[in-house]
Amino acid sequence: MKRHVLIVLIAFLFLAANAQKFENIAKTPPMGWNSWNKYGCNVSESLIMGMADAMVSSGMKDAGYEYVVIDDCWQVARDDNGEIVADNDRFPHGIKYLADYIHSKGLKFGIYSCAGTLTCAGRPAGRGHEYQDALTYAHWGVDYLKYDWCNTGTQEPKSSYTTMRDGLFAAHRPIVFSICEWGSNKPWEWAGAVGNLWRTTGDIDDSWNVMIGIFLQQKDLARYAGPGHWNDPDMLEVGNGGMTTEEYKTHFSLWCMLASPLMAGNDLQNMSPETKSILLNKEIIALDQDSLGKQAICWRDNGDYQIWLKILSNNEKAICLLNSSDEKKTVLVDFALLAQAKAARWGAASPLKLENFTVRDLWDHKDLMLKESSMYIDLLPHTVKVYRFIKK
Ligand code: GAL
């Protein structure tokens, strides 16, 4: 074989091996913590290290949360070589030091930038520096990059995000690429080949109305989600104080039904028992992290009472009853029909029979004792019931 042919072949195999690595990230929706919802621009080395410590000590790491992500405002300038410069007062040991610390805890490290000239908070952003920044991030040990869409002028989203994606590829470090374009350019239609997750809406807020509004906007997006590429209805507000415990349970359940990325946005160092019982509900998390990667569909829509269905691996499924109204509802739930729900919608060969399943309430952590196949269930305002049909 001629020498140059051999060189080309080796280069190809090298690139193919790396491309392969990239395909193996975010196989299930990424889980972690992000600074923005609670702390905004008030980020620092001590804050992020404290959150990493708390992620381990609170049991979050054991429950699957792994990325610790600094959002906007860590960056202040570019130096004479165009290198991005971190805020030295707030990050006195530099970003690599922080990444090393987070890695030493068995966690992964994420950072934020933006496709435009400036970030949304007006800090230096990535435009024109994509490959350079990707190399810097890889050198620092970044595992996750959230990439925003402010100050983009006439930039075209798909090509802008593709440039950064190619920069990350060229830096040869598998980095989860989180596209934050807010949904206005329908990223679900093009982002599956570009990033691992893409925001589908504007920003979440710590309020019932905004949260439930965002949820309802996810209704037609199920077919775009799957292993390696997820719809992102924004980060969690659980524990931030603007909703009731029941509303936070609803928020968390709905996000898990949607196979959404689960980025906690609260103070992990000071969590109430209620907040912990939500963020650490492993049975609900298991729906989100199911290996099939199917996003729930709205199976019955009666306006403010809806039934959502998530197909799980092993022919199991989860059902979420949602009362988004301000009044209590008593609903007759036909579990035999719900057992068949998959068969009806996906044309399975034989109908799935209720007697082959245990129905488990994932908030009560109990199996239902069904005397008949239907039963009346009370749903308080703004609450859910989440059931898993587990094969006997
Ligand atoms: C927004 C983004 C938020 C946060 C913020 C930072 O555009 O949606 O999640 O990252 O910018 O300035």
Side-chain angles (χ1 to χ4, degrees), residues 71-119:
D71 207 281
D72 209 347
C73 302
W74 59 269
Q75 62 287 72
V76 285
R78 288 201 180 269
D79 69 12
D80 293 346
N81 298 321
E83 290 290 331
I84 193 79
V85 178
D87 184 332
N88 195 42
D89 294 336
R90 287 172 174 268
F91 296 92
H93 299 93
I95 302 296
K96 186 169 183 341
Y97 171 87
L98 191 53
D100 289 347
Y101 182 80
I102 288 167
H103 290 148
S104 77
K105 300 255 146 190
L107 298 166
K108 291 183 175 162
F109 174 61
I111 210 162
Y112 162 101
S113 188
C114 175
T117 47
L118 295 173
T119 70

Side-chain angles (χ1 to χ4, degrees), residues 34 36-37 41 71-73 112-113 119-122 146 148-150 180 182 199 201-204 234-235:
N34 174 299
W36 185 256
N37 282 356
C41 268
D71 207 281
D72 209 347
C73 302
Y112 162 101
S113 188
T119 70
C120 298
K146 174 176 169 183
D148 218 331
W149 189 241
C150 282
C180 181
W182 320 304
R199 280 275 297 281
T201 67
D203 284 14
I204 197 167
D234 208 355
M235 303 173 293

Side-chain angles (χ1 to χ4, degrees), residues 321-335:
L321 313 178
L322 166 66
N323 175 11
S324 59
S325 81
D326 297 336
E327 273 130 45
K328 178 179 154 185
K329 285 183 190 289
T330 302
V331 290
L332 181 63
V333 180
D334 184 341
F335 286 96

Side-chain angles (χ1 to χ4, degrees), residues 302-321:
N302 299 319
D304 50 19
Y305 169 57
Q306 299 181 338
I307 303 177
W308 286 73
L309 165 65
K310 187 181 198 294
I311 299 302
L312 304 171
S313 51
N314 193 32
N315 248 329
E316 297 192 352
K317 68 179 121 185
I319 296 285
C320 176
L321 313 178

